[in-house]
Amino acid sequence: MTASTTINKGDSLLHQNVLGSRRFSNYWWATIVTLGASGFLLAGISSYLKVNLLIVTDATQLIFVPQGLVMGLYGTAGVLLASYLWLVILWDVGGGYNEFNQETGKFKIFRWGFPGKNRQIEIENRIQDVQSVRISIKEGLNPQRALYLKVKGRRDIPLTRVGQPLSLADLETQGAELARFLAVPLEGL
């Protein structure tokens, strides 16, 4: 759920940073897609211009129609996909924080979204409206493990990051810590 959890000011403020799209795996795949797409695009351009633009192989031997053209199209599609991946990383989509302040009696859930009028997703409510902290576990081919905040008059609010599921031990520890801090029950175990 979090990159770091901070409790301070006499144990009255709990601040949890939520990791968004700036994960190692996203950097890895964006780099791989960029390199592969660049290779395909340069191979297509090399076959058209009959000038070798690649270091590893000689793409001038390719016939432009259909081989060079198809490689150029794959390269263009790959560059578009890589651009999307790098922009999502730059915008840190999904990143943000959960903040629970007992002094003010409020909690705030903040996430970054895609650019536009709803770029900043912010939920603010009173702590006394929190009914419980719920753990949701779905095993199988696509496992999902998440923490939710049950609030009166609202749908359950997700607190964990999207993507790779947390380990059961981490999920239980973070859920118990939050439930203890808010003095509400922990459901779903």
Side-chain angles (χ1 to χ4, degrees), residues 163-178:
Q164 183 179 3
L166 296 169
S167 70
L168 290 174
D170 288 343
L171 191 68
E172 289 175 7
T173 302
Q174 292 173 2
E177 176 186 316
L178 182 59

Side-chain angles (χ1 to χ4, degrees), residues 34-62 67-68 71-72 75:
T34 301
L35 292 173
S38 300
F40 273 96
L41 190 59
L42 288 174
I45 293 170
S46 292
S47 71
Y48 178 73
L49 297 175
K50 299 295 182 200
V51 174
N52 189 22
L53 300 174
L54 293 171
I55 300 168
V56 186
T57 186
D58 185 15
T60 58
Q61 304 297 326
L62 295 174
Q67 295 159 332
M71 291 186 88

Side-chain angles (χ1 to χ4, degrees), residues 1-3 15-23 26 88-98 109-114 118-122 159-162:
M1 167 171 62
T2 60
H15 185 89
Q16 301 169 322
N17 290 321
V18 177
L19 185 63
S21 59
R22 292 184 180 165
R23 293 189 295 253
N26 288 353
V88 166
I89 291 169
L90 176 71
W91 295 326
D92 195 22
V93 174
Y97 61 88
N98 306 325
I109 310 296
F110 178 84
R111 300 289 186 276
W112 287 109
F114 288 99
N118 294 329
R119 167 98 165 106
Q120 295 180 359
I121 301 161
E122 195 170 333
L159 298 175
T160 52
R161 68 180 186 218
V162 176

